[in-house]
């Protein structure tokens, strides 16, 4: 008996002989629980609503252009207000936009500041206090003779070139570019202010051809220097072509370049110490003097007008 009881006590002392109460935390577990409390769930905010990007873009466009007129179906005889003003010959479309935004334009007595506003031929448009009458665009080519100038401040000794095209149109026209009294050849007139501005820009790429008469023969080495281009008054001048005129003296030179400023032509040769006796513009943006005697003018054809606008 005693031995059996002893063996029972010995059996209960073995590690695997007794069961641990799982409901009671161990000392180590309690320490770990105290060191790392249970992580709480992160609070979730309200779900973000989906943004309609198209609506946002439209609202942004409206904010950037507060004066933009609402789009509507354009009627057959309607044109934009800035084009109507430009057709009247008072300024270009770009300048017309400035006048419109500043409130200096009225349509049927009401000030209009919206860009893209459409008007009819029957509407009364008042521009800076003056009633406008839109004109049809006209394009007139003159073969200018000597002793006529495009300037209005050279006194009574030299007449203005507008005298030579008097009676050609009732529209208010102006010359494209300038010509002094000694320069002859092609000169374009129009009431298209956009075209006048286009050909006055230095970035215009249309070519002009001049026949230049010098006081002496042009040296071949000077001709080569001109062909490579040169710097005049700090500005680079690009010459497309320069050559002697076949069958003429070496003092007769053909010059092709993009500048419509005749003063540039004169300055090129004066830079090499030549005196320029005469300058004759024989071609202008694809137009030539063919069948156009000196002192005469003609209207451009529809195709020539298209070519000019695309040049």
């Amino acid at each position: 008996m005693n031995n059996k009881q002893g063996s029972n006590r010995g059996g209960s002392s073995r590690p695997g002989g007794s069961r641990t109460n799982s409901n009671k935390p161990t000392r180590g577990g309690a320490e770990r629980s105290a060191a790392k409390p249970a992580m709480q769930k992160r609070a979730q905010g309200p779900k973000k609503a989906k943004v309609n990007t198209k609506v946002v873009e439209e609202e942004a466009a409206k904010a950037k252009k507060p004066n933009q007129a609402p789009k509507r179906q354009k009627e057959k005889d309607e044109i934009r207000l800035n084009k109507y003003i430009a057709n009247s010959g008072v300024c270009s479309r770009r300048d017309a936009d400035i006048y419109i935004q500043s409130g200096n334009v009225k349509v049927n007595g009401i000030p209009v500041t919206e860009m893209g506003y459409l008007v009819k031929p029957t509407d009364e448009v008042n521009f800076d206090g003056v009633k406008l009458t839109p004109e049809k665009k006209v394009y007139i080519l003159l073969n200018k003779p000597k002793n006529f100038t495009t300037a209005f401040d050279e006194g009574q000794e030299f007449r203005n070139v507008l005298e030579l095209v008097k009676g050609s149109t009732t529209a208010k026209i102006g010359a494209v570019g300038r010509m002094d009294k000694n320069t002859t050849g092609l000169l374009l007139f129009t009431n298209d202010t956009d075209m006048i501005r286009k050909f006055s820009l230095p970035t215009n790429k249309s070519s002009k051809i001049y026949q230049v008469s010098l006081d002496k023969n042009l040296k071949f080495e000077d001709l080569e220097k001109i062909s490579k281009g040169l710097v005049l008054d700090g500005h680079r001048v690009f010459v497309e072509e320069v050559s002697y005129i076949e069958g003429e003296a070496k003092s007769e030179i053909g010059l092709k370049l993009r500048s419509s400023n005749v003063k540039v032509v004169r300055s090129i040769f004066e830079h090499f110490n030549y005196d320029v006796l005469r300058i004759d513009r024989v071609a202008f943006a694809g137009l030539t003097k063919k069948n156009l005697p000196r002192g005469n003018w003609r209207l451009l054809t529809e195709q020539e007008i298209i070519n000019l606008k695309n040049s």
Side-chain angles (χ1 to χ4, degrees), residues 68-170:
Q68 188 70 32
K71 290 185 178 181
R72 62 178 177 83
Q73 190 66 31
K74 182 179 178 181
E75 296 182 15
K76 184 178 179 180
D77 58 346
E78 286 183 323
I79 61 172
R80 291 169 66 96
L81 180 58
N82 62 352
K83 184 177 180 181
Y84 184 101
I85 295 171
N87 287 354
S88 301
V90 294
C91 65
S92 66
R93 290 194 197 185
R94 181 177 294 183
D95 290 337
D97 286 335
I98 298 174
Y99 279 94
I100 293 170
Q101 286 181 312
S102 62
N104 291 332
V105 179
K106 293 182 181 180
V107 179
N108 299 325
I110 302 173
V112 173
T113 58
E114 296 89 352
M115 295 296 98
Y117 191 88
L118 297 174
V119 295
K120 298 179 180 179
T122 54
D123 289 332
E124 182 177 308
V125 178
N126 188 287
F127 177 85
D128 206 21
V130 179
K131 181 181 176 182
L132 299 184
T133 303
E135 297 175 322
K136 182 182 178 181
K137 293 290 186 292
V138 292
Y139 305 87
I140 300 167
L141 187 65
L142 169 72
N143 188 352
K144 176 188 168 303
K146 286 185 67 175
N147 297 328
F148 285 85
T149 175
T150 56
F152 287 92
D153 56 354
E154 294 194 16
Q156 297 180 352
E157 182 181 357
F158 303 106
R159 293 183 292 175
N160 190 273
V161 290
L162 287 174
E163 294 182 29
L164 298 170
V165 293
K166 189 176 180 180
S168 60
T169 178
T170 57

Side-chain angles (χ1 to χ4, degrees), residues 136-143 165 168-169 174 176 186-192 195 199 283-290 292 296-311:
K136 182 182 178 181
K137 293 290 186 292
V138 292
Y139 305 87
I140 300 167
L141 187 65
L142 169 72
N143 188 352
V165 293
S168 60
T169 178
V176 178
L186 296 180
L187 184 61
L188 181 66
F189 295 85
T190 182
N191 59 344
D192 187 340
M195 181 168 289
F199 283 104
F284 178 88
L287 301 172
T288 67
K289 297 194 299 180
K290 184 178 180 181
L292 187 62
N296 289 24
W297 60 265
R298 67 173 178 84
L299 296 173
L300 296 190
T301 65
E302 290 296 326
Q303 187 58 52
E304 286 174 330
I305 296 170
I306 293 172
N307 294 342
L308 267 185
K309 291 181 177 181
N310 292 331
S311 63

Side-chain angles (χ1 to χ4, degrees), residues 5-62:
Q5 289 176 353
S7 67
N8 288 338
R9 285 195 298 270
S12 63
S13 65
R14 288 181 298 183
S18 61
R19 297 182 180 177
T20 305
N21 189 344
S22 61
N23 293 329
K24 294 181 180 180
T26 62
R27 185 177 178 181
E31 291 175 353
R32 286 193 298 271
S33 299
K36 295 183 179 180
M39 185 178 290
Q40 297 180 354
K41 291 185 177 181
R42 183 178 295 177
Q44 295 183 353
K47 292 183 178 180
K48 294 183 179 179
K50 291 183 178 179
V51 179
N52 190 330
T53 55
K54 185 176 182 181
V55 174
V56 172
E57 291 173 358
E58 290 177 354
E59 291 297 328
K62 290 179 181 178

Side-chain angles (χ1 to χ4, degrees), residues 239-281:
V239 176
E240 293 184 67
E241 291 180 33
V242 59
S243 63
Y244 299 113
I245 295 179
E246 187 176 354
E248 300 283 347
K250 300 291 185 182
S251 59
E252 295 296 319
I253 311 300
L255 183 70
K256 181 179 181 182
L257 69 167
R258 291 176 180 176
S259 176
S260 58
N261 188 348
V262 179
K263 289 183 178 180
V264 174
V265 178
R266 191 176 298 277
S267 297
I268 288 174
F269 295 97
E270 290 179 349
H271 181 77
F272 293 96
N273 298 318
Y274 295 91
D275 288 333
V276 177
L277 304 179
R278 288 180 298 276
I279 300 176
D280 186 38
R281 183 189 282 164

Side-chain angles (χ1 to χ4, degrees), residues 226-230 236-240 256-259:
I226 293 172
S227 67
K228 295 176 181 178
L230 62 159
R236 184 74 178 174
V237 177
F238 295 95
V239 176
E240 293 184 67
K256 181 179 181 182
L257 69 167
R258 291 176 180 176
S259 176

